[in-house]
Amino acid sequence: MILRIEDLRVDYRSRESDQGIKQALKGLNLSVNQGEVFGFLGPNGAGKTTTMNVLLGFVPPTSGDAYLFGVSVREPIARQRIGYLPELTYYYKFLTAEEILRFYGKIFRIPRSQLESRIDKVLKLVELEHARKRPIKTYSKGMQQRVGLAQALINDPDLLIFDEPTSGLDPMGRMKVREIIHRLKNEGKTVFFSSHELGEVETVCDRVAIMCQGELKVEGRVQDLVQQHQCNLEQLFLKIIGYQQNHYEPGEHLFSDSRRAA
């Protein structure tokens, strides 16, 4: 088992002083097996990013524990086998893709004899060979996201943690990210990622978990959940988070007459 979370709880002090302590995670239990593509879903504030921050050692758990490759994240473990893509990537815009990957390769202490071939491989995978010597400031949003993917892959990790990898991308960009995730799965990698693109998740994931207000609501294989609940993943998601669709009568205007008159 690559990833295991046991009764994980994370409390934090609310910015609204009258509310005191808030629980970002309320006893989360979850496991991800080797070679799986696992979708971690939920509305904003559900606890997805907090969970990832615990796994990566950025946030200490209040109670419970999480394990990567059988080792508690509370331990000072090496994260050489992990690749991480944050929701927002920040790079020096004057650097090229090559230079960024060379920088991260040195952080991971990849031998110089291997690093250049590794750079060639990941740039080919994310289809940025043609732009490898161009400054990042000349890249589109989708291209910058693919640089982030390349950075997450430079150390040839066994586990990839992606926080909203298709955020802000157009349909072509989302398709390319989906293809990359499929290729990683075919190479035996484990991918754990959060997303709001439920159609993408339904297509690419083996299993999913849906969070709401810090609690795990549903977890299982995508096809099993769809069959069990007799609806697609998007409909199930909206049902779980309690979304109520507004219904308008024919001829009813969204704004009042007074506002339209003004």
Side-chain angles (χ1 to χ4, degrees):
M1 190 174 297
I2 296 290
L3 186 159
R4 187 170 85 254
I5 297 172
E6 295 182 348
D7 200 25
L8 188 66
R9 200 184 93 209
V10 175
D11 298 343
Y12 68 93
R13 186 169 298 280
S14 172
R15 293 179 180 177
E16 298 84 13
S17 57
D18 59 325
Q19 294 187 18
I21 301 297
K22 280 191 174 182
Q23 283 188 307
L25 293 173
K26 305 173 183 178
L28 175 62
N29 290 280
L30 201 64
S31 63
V32 178
N33 300 315
Q34 182 175 356
E36 277 192 314
V37 176
F38 194 98
F40 197 44
L41 314 178
N44 292 333
K48 306 186 300 299
T49 298
T50 297
T51 302
M52 292 183 175
N53 285 339
V54 170
L55 294 174
L56 294 162
F58 300 154
V59 172
T62 303
S63 63
D65 214 335
Y67 301 84
L68 296 175
F69 308 104
V71 180
S72 170
V73 296
R74 293 179 182 270
E75 302 294 328
I77 60 175
R79 288 175 166 78
Q80 184 79 19
R81 299 172 65 188
I82 302 170
Y84 171 56
L85 174 67
E87 180 177 0
L88 299 174
T89 56
Y90 295 100
Y91 301 118
Y92 291 116
K93 301 294 186 180
F94 56 84
L95 293 178
T96 66
E98 274 186 342
E99 291 168 335
I100 287 171
L101 295 177
R102 203 168 285 125
F103 172 75
Y104 280 95
K106 290 178 180 178
I107 290 177
F108 281 108
R109 299 180 181 177
I110 299 172
R112 184 175 297 180
S113 59
Q114 299 176 21
L115 181 55
E116 294 307 313
S117 61
R118 190 79 62 80
I119 290 173
D120 291 342
K121 180 180 178 181
V122 296
L123 285 175
K124 182 177 181 180
L125 177 64
V126 301
E127 299 182 14
L128 283 177
E129 292 172 293
H130 66 287
R132 61 189 298 160
K133 295 185 182 298
R134 282 169 44 191
I136 298 299
K137 64 183 177 183
T138 68
Y139 284 17
S140 67
K141 167 68 175 176
M143 292 171 72
Q144 290 184 34
Q145 194 76 343
R146 280 183 277 149
V147 171
L149 284 168
Q151 169 271 130
L153 294 166
I154 193 64
N155 59 318
D156 193 22
D158 296 310
L159 169 64
L160 291 135
I161 298 177
F162 297 154
D163 193 356
E164 299 288 347
T166 60
S167 176
L169 300 186
D170 62 17
M172 183 65 73
R174 292 199 300 271
M175 178 66 74
K176 288 185 181 296
V177 172
R178 184 198 302 175
E179 291 172 353
I180 290 168
I181 291 175
H182 271 301
R183 292 183 64 176
L184 293 171
K185 176 179 170 61
N186 291 338
E187 291 182 9
K189 306 293 187 184
T190 304
V191 182
F192 179 81
F193 75 100
S194 68
S195 179
H196 288 120
E197 301 290 343
L198 300 181
E200 302 288 326
V201 169
E202 191 166 0
T203 301
V204 77
C205 289
D206 299 304
R207 289 193 299 138
V208 298
I210 301 179
M211 299 281 293
C212 189
Q213 297 182 346
E215 295 181 306
L216 177 64
K217 298 297 185 181
V218 167
E219 182 270 325
R221 293 181 61 84
V222 175
Q223 61 188 52
D224 293 340
L225 293 175
V226 168
Q227 184 174 1
Q228 178 184 348
H229 295 272
Q230 294 296 299
C231 61
N232 63 32
L233 188 61
E234 181 175 342
Q235 292 167 334
L236 175 59
F237 178 88
L238 294 175
K239 179 181 178 181
I240 286 172
I241 68 172
Y243 176 77
Q244 297 292 328
Q245 184 176 3
N246 291 322
H247 296 281
Y248 296 97
E249 296 296 328
E252 182 181 356
H253 292 287
L254 183 61
F255 300 108
S256 66
D257 290 341
S258 59
R259 278 193 66 179
R260 286 188 292 112

